[in-house]
C-alpha cells in the first residue's frame, strides 16, 4: 500500500504559540456559550483577530462553531420558541452576505475599530440592564435578524443582538438560552460559505479550526454543566457581567 502524502503546509505556523493562545480563548468563549447560549465569539474574536487577521478569524470561528454546534444545538431544539425566532433567522440569512462583503473590503485597522466599538456598544446595553420594551411583531424581528445576520457575516458576533431581544421577552431562562443557541447555530454556516466561495478559506485555516474544536467542545461542556445547576437570576447576572467585562476589555482592545 502506498503512503498517503502529508499535505505540504506551513506546519510551523499552524503548530505555534498562537494556536495555544487561540485554544485558551476558544475554551473560555465556549464555556460562556454553553452557559448562556451565546457569547463565545465575543470572547475569542478579538484574540483571533490579533493572531490571524479579520477574514481568517471569522472563518475559524465559523468552522469551529459548525463542527461543535450539535453539542448545544440538539438539546436546545426541544425548548426553542420557533414563533419567536423564525422571522429573525430568515432576515439574518438575507443580511449575513452583506456583512461578509463589508469584511472583505474594509481595511483591517478600520475593521478592528468597528468591531471593538460594536462589542463595547452591545456590552454597554446589557451592562446597564437595557431591555427591549417595544412591540414584538414582524418589524422588530426583521430588524433584529437583519442586524444579527449582518454582524455575524461581518465579524462573527451576531449572537448578542438576538440575546438582547430574547432576554427581554417573557419566558424562562431555558427558553431564552435555547432561542440564543439555536439562532446562533443556524447563522454560523452563512459567513463560512461566503468566505469559502470567495476563496479565503485555505487548508491551513481549516486545520486550525479542526484542532480548535477540541478545546471548544470541552469549554462548551463545562458551560452546559454550570447551567444545569445555576438559578435563573444567577444566569441573568452572569450574562450581564460577561458583557460588562467585555466592554472594559474592548476599550483596551
Amino acid at each position: 500500500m502506498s503512503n498517503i502524502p502529508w499535505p505540504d503546509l506551513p506546519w510551523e505556523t499552524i503548530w505555534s504559540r498562537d494556536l495555544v493562545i487561540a485554544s485558551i480563548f476558544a475554551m473560555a468563549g465556549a464555556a460562556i456559550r454553553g452557559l448562556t447560549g451565546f457569547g463565545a465569539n465575543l470572547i475569542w474574536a478579538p484574540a483571533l483577530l490579533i493572531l490571524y487577521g479579520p477574514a481568517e478569524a471569522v472563518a475559524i470561528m465559523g468552522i469551529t462553531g459548525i463542527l461543535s454546534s450539535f453539542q448545544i444545538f440538539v438539546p436546545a431544539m426541544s425548548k426553542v420558541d420557533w414563533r419567536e425566532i423564525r422571522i429573525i433567522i430568515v432576515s439574518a440569512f438575507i443580511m449575513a452576505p452583506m456583512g461578509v462583503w463589508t469584511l472583505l473590503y474594509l481595511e483591517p485597522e478600520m475593521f478592528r475599530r468597528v468591531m471593538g466599538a460594536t462589542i463595547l456598544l452591545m456590552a454597554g446595553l446589557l451592562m446597564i440592564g437595557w431591555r427591549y420594551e417595544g412591540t414584538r411583531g414582524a418589524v422588530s424581528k426583521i430588524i433584529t435578524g437583519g442586524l444579527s445576520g449582518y454582524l455575524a457575516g461581518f465579524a462573527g458576533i451576531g449572537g448578542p443582538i438576538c440575546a438582547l431581544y430574547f432576554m427581554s421577552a417573557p419566558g424562562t431562562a431555558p427558553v431564552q438560552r435555547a432561542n440564543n443557541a439555536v439562532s446562533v447555530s443556524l447563522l454560523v454556516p452563512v459567513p463560512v460559505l461566503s468566505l469559502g466561495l470567495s476563496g479565503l478559506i485555505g487548508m491551513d485555516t481549516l486545520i486550525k479550526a479542526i484542532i480548535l474544536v477540541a478545546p471548544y467542545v470541552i469549554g462548551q461542556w463545562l458551560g452546559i454543566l454550570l447551567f444545569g445547576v445555576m438559578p435563573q437570576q444567577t444566569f441573568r447576572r452572569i450574562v450581564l457581567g460577561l458583557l460588562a467585562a467585555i466592554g472594559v476589555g474592548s476599550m483596551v482592545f
Side-chain angles (χ1 to χ4, degrees):
M1 181 182 295
S2 61
N3 293 327
I4 299 175
W6 197 248
D8 184 17
L9 293 170
W11 293 102
E12 67 279 1
T13 62
I14 295 176
W15 296 103
S16 65
R17 183 186 62 179
D18 290 349
L19 190 64
V20 175
I21 296 172
S23 297
I24 294 170
F25 279 92
M27 187 178 295
I32 295 300
R33 189 184 178 206
L35 176 64
T36 67
F38 80 103
N41 290 357
L42 284 177
I43 296 294
W44 73 325
L48 287 180
L49 178 60
I50 294 171
L51 296 172
Y52 299 122
E56 190 171 18
V58 173
I60 288 173
M61 288 188 293
I63 296 169
T64 304
I66 291 172
L67 296 176
S68 59
S69 63
F70 292 101
Q71 183 185 21
I72 190 171
F73 177 79
V74 174
M77 290 285 286
S78 62
K79 299 180 178 68
V80 69
D81 183 353
W82 287 107
R83 291 177 300 177
E84 184 78 356
I85 77 168
R86 58 191 176 196
I87 295 177
I88 291 174
I89 294 299
V90 171
S91 57
F93 265 75
I94 293 172
M95 287 301 296
M98 293 294 295
V100 174
W101 182 87
T102 307
L103 164 67
L104 297 180
Y105 289 97
L106 197 65
E107 290 293 328
E109 185 59 34
M110 182 59 68
F111 177 90
R112 292 187 181 92
R113 293 175 181 174
V114 172
M115 189 178 79
T118 303
I119 292 175
L120 182 59
L121 174 62
M122 291 187 290
L125 289 174
L126 280 182
M127 181 176 62
I128 63 175
W130 182 85
R131 295 167 63 89
Y132 175 75
E133 297 180 353
T135 58
R136 306 187 72 84
V139 173
S140 64
K141 292 175 182 177
I142 289 171
I143 294 172
T144 299
L147 286 173
S148 180
Y150 180 83
L151 288 173
F154 173 63
I157 54 173
I161 295 295
C162 291
L164 284 168
Y165 187 82
F166 294 142
M167 289 186 65
S168 63
T172 63
V175 172
Q176 293 173 344
R177 177 176 173 273
N179 288 345
N180 289 335
V182 171
S183 59
V184 169
S185 296
L186 291 177
L187 276 176
V188 166
V190 180
V192 173
L193 179 61
S194 298
L195 289 170
L197 292 174
S198 301
L200 294 175
I201 300 180
M203 183 60 70
D204 57 335
T205 299
L206 180 60
I207 291 174
K208 290 171 189 173
I210 291 173
I211 293 170
L212 289 168
V213 168
Y216 195 98
V217 168
I218 293 170
Q220 210 164 230
W221 175 72
L222 291 173
I224 292 170
L225 289 180
L226 283 174
F227 183 79
V229 298
M230 186 171 294
Q232 182 169 340
Q233 287 302 316
T234 305
F235 162 78
R236 191 174 292 273
R237 292 191 194 101
I238 287 289
V239 175
L240 295 176
L242 160 67
L243 271 297
I246 292 170
V248 175
S250 296
M251 294 175 66
V252 177
F253 169 75

